[in-house]
């Protein structure tokens, strides 16, 4: 079975074509600057990438070009679009939709109704789905929601302590994000440990430009750091993470900022970038810290402390801990962050082998647990696209 996985952003469209029989990626790529010029990087597995500048006025045109590249004699991997069996769409926000779903007209209509609570990611995802439906109307299409992994969390963890009607009438609640990644890495960890996931208490740390931490008890998410939007939680590349909400009203009242301006500050100018004043990329911040830059050191300490705090809190919520997983750009690559997070965590049973942590192998599940430690600590590369392909295969075959 061949499955095309699409991840549509506001001006981008990422794609991967999977052969599910061999669990291989046949080709993948990214369309960028959609609506403002356009460029595609396309890579057939085992070949050099092909890049082109091409006018991409909308997601539909981008998808047409992707399909023609996938079928082309020179760069393609299939003879015709008819070889694709199903399409899986990454949809960040599923609102009240609790499970990955076959896309029907009513699913698209529902996604349109929740655009107000998902203004950034909703419209491009819907545009990607509509483009697919127009070009390949007979193909099964599946939506996989980042939020659905959190359908198992209890109301005490998702209702905010503000007047209840804001939850009831306006759906102001914790939704949680990166669920597909947390679901994937917790499953891979259980496989790596050779234990049933039902028996494990796991904390998964997805640390990238956007970061979230999730407590997974017996395979079910019970709490997560991102909330109503991906803004809540630990400090991120450019997002503040959790702050006292009064800072918002203070900025508006005393500095005259509009709601939009404050939102932009908290989303785009805060986090590691805001504190360090250097970059949202942790590599640059570590380089500056090594040269003695105090604000760079502070940004790193804020990040590390946020991760530690969540690990402590989630261990308490689960009444125990069997494993910690590090994943995504920082989690998979920044050994120094993993070391700082796991320093002085012996009380909880977390101890890592510093040698293995520094000399880890990239791209595979890698055990960094110290000998005799009570809690297993692993690096697990995330693969949201593969998880989407698995759900798509399951639902398309029904
Ligand atoms: P992501 O959003 O998952 O792509 O992660 C972005 C973050 O991961 C940035 O802060 C980078 O510093 C970090 N990162 C990504 N790749 C590497 C790498 N190869 N080595 C060190 N850090 C990396």
């Amino acid at each position: 079975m061949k499955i095309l996985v699409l991840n549509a952003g506001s001006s981008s469209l990422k794609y991967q074509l999977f052969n599910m029989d061999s669990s291989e990626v046949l080709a993948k790529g990214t369309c960028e600057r959609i609506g403002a010029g356009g460029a595609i990087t396309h890579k057939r597995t085992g070949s050099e990438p092909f890049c082109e500048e091409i006018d991409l006025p909308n997601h539909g045109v981008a998808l047409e070009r992707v399909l023609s590249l996938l079928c082309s004699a020179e760069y393609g991997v299939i003879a015709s679009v008819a070889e694709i069996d199903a399409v899986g769409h990454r949809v960040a926000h599923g609102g009240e939709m609790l499970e990955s779903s076959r896309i029907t007209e009513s699913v698209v209509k529902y996604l349109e109704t929740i655009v107000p609570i998902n203004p950034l990611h909703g419209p491009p995802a819907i545009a990607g789905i509509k483009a697919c439906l127009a070009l390949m109307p007979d193909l099964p299409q599946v939506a996989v929601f980042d939020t659905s992994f959190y359908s198992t969390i209890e109301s005490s963890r998702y209702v905010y302590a503000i007047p209840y009607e804001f939850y009831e009438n306006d759906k102001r609640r914790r939704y949680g994000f990166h669920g597909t990644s947390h679901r994937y890495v917790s499953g891979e960890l259980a496989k790596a440990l050779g234990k049933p996931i039902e028996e494990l208490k796991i904390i998964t740390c997805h640390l990238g430009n956007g970061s979230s931490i999730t407590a997974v008890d017996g395979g079910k998410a019970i709490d997560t750091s991102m909330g109503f939007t991906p803004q809540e939680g630990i400090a991120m590349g450019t997002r503040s993470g959790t702050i006292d909400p009064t800072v918002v009203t203070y900025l508006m009242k005393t500095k005259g900022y509009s709601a939009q301006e404050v939102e932009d500050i908290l989303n785009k100018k805060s986090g590691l970038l805001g504190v360090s004043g250097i970059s949202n990329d942790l590599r640059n911040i570590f380089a500056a810290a090594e040269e003695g830059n105090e604000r760079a050191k502070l940004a790193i300490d804020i990040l590390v402390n946020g991760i530690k705090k969540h690990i402590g809190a989630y261990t308490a919520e689960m009444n125990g801990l069997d494993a910690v997983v590090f994943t995504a750009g920082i989690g998979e690559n920044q050994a120094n962050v993993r070391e700082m997070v796991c320093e002085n965590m012996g009380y909880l049973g977390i101890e890592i082998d510093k040698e293995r942590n520094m000399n880890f192998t990239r791209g595979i599940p890698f055990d960094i647990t110290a000998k005799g430690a009570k809690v297993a600590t692993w690096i697990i590369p995330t693969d949201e696209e593969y998880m989407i392909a698995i759900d798509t295969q399951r639902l398309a075959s029904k």
Side-chain angles (χ1 to χ4, degrees):
M1 192 176 205
K2 294 196 178 90
I3 291 182
L4 178 63
V5 172
L6 297 178
N7 181 354
S10 53
S11 63
S12 67
L13 181 69
K14 292 186 188 148
Y15 60 94
Q16 290 198 21
L17 183 66
F18 286 88
N19 180 349
M20 297 307 284
D21 303 327
S22 55
S23 304
E24 272 178 308
V25 176
L26 299 173
K28 64 179 173 181
T30 308
C31 305
E32 287 169 302
R33 287 189 275 120
I34 296 173
I40 300 186
T41 307
H42 169 85
K43 190 173 184 324
R44 178 168 63 182
T45 301
S47 304
E48 286 300 303
F50 162 74
C51 305
E52 68 175 352
E53 300 270 329
I54 178 173
D55 190 28
L56 301 174
N58 55 50
H59 286 80
V61 175
L63 180 62
E64 267 183 81
R65 184 61 189 142
V66 168
L67 294 176
S68 77
L69 281 170
L70 289 172
C71 299
S72 84
E74 212 174 345
Y75 307 107
V77 285
I78 47 177
S80 79
V81 172
E83 281 187 45
I84 301 175
D85 296 291
V87 182
H89 296 266
R90 180 193 180 195
V91 182
H93 210 315
E96 306 280 299
M97 298 200 58
L98 304 182
E99 308 242 325
S100 302
S101 304
R102 275 286 282 265
I103 294 174
T104 58
E105 224 171 273
S106 67
V107 168
V108 177
K109 278 205 178 107
Y110 175 71
L111 293 178
E112 283 172 334
T113 66
I114 60 165
V115 163
I117 59 168
N118 182 30
L120 282 184
H121 300 109
I126 294 166
I129 290 170
K130 285 188 169 169
C132 255
L133 289 172
L135 286 169
M136 299 174 281
D138 300 325
L139 221 53
Q141 315 234 3
V142 170
V144 178
F145 308 110
D146 279 20
T147 44
S148 46
F149 189 46
Y150 304 110
S151 62
T152 46
I153 72 177
E154 287 177 9
S155 52
S156 59
R157 280 126 187 185
Y158 70 69
V159 174
Y160 291 118
I162 55 177
Y164 194 70
E165 56 267 27
F166 290 121
Y167 161 63
E168 219 169 23
N169 302 335
D170 304 307
K171 304 292 171 223
R172 308 286 116 167
R173 52 158 287 180
R174 178 183 311 286
Y175 286 102
F177 296 88
H178 292 146
T180 311
S181 173
H182 291 283
R183 179 158 62 105
Y184 176 77
V185 297
S186 52
E188 290 300 295
L189 173 84
K191 278 190 218 162
L193 294 179
K195 291 190 178 157
I197 196 162
E198 292 74 18
E199 292 174 10
L200 293 170
K201 295 176 191 291
I202 308 168
I203 295 176
T204 46
C205 305
H206 178 115
L207 310 174
N209 201 33
S211 297
S212 62
I213 302 182
T214 295
V216 185
D217 193 348
K220 293 183 175 146
I222 64 139
D223 207 348
T224 192
S225 60
M226 281 181 169
F228 176 61
T229 69
Q231 172 70 23
E232 195 180 342
I234 63 171
M236 308 177 212
T238 61
R239 291 180 217 146
S240 63
T242 301
I243 57 165
D244 181 337
T246 316
V247 172
V248 173
T249 45
Y250 169 84
L251 288 175
M252 293 173 82
K253 283 196 266 186
T254 62
K255 307 267 178 195
Y257 288 123
S258 67
Q260 188 57 52
E261 282 168 330
V262 179
E263 207 171 289
D264 284 349
I265 291 171
L266 297 180
N267 246 314
K268 299 179 186 156
K269 297 178 183 167
S270 296
L272 300 176
L273 171 67
V275 175
S276 69
I278 295 165
S279 167
N280 63 321
D281 190 314
L282 204 53
R283 286 169 283 203
N284 302 332
I285 298 174
F286 267 108
E290 269 160 36
E291 286 167 12
N293 185 306
E294 289 302 323
R295 275 173 55 187
K297 287 185 199 166
L298 177 62
I300 295 165
D301 288 344
I302 290 173
L303 170 71
V304 168
N305 189 50
I307 304 167
K308 273 177 171 284
K309 248 189 194 169
H310 277 84
I311 292 176
Y314 291 166
T315 304
E317 282 194 82
M318 291 193 288
N319 188 24
L321 180 64
D322 296 304
V324 173
V325 175
F326 289 99
T327 194
I330 294 170
E332 290 172 36
N333 295 296
Q334 299 271 1
N336 33 14
V337 170
R338 294 191 299 259
E339 181 172 329
M340 290 166 88
V341 167
C342 296
E343 196 76 49
N344 293 325
M345 296 281 262
Y347 179 77
L348 293 185
I350 301 169
E351 279 172 85
I352 61 167
D353 180 327
K354 290 187 182 173
E355 277 292 312
R356 280 183 67 77
N357 179 49
M358 280 298 162
N359 302 311
F360 67 104
T361 308
R362 279 195 168 82
I364 55 162
F366 195 82
D367 184 5
I368 55 170
T369 317
K371 229 173 169 201
K374 211 172 96 229
V375 169
T377 307
W378 282 69
I379 308 162
I380 309 260
T382 194
D383 196 343
E384 291 159 277
E385 285 76 13
Y386 185 58
M387 192 86 250
I388 293 169
I390 289 175
D391 278 11
T392 304
Q393 180 179 33
R394 177 171 52 83
L395 289 166
S397 313
K398 274 192 180 168

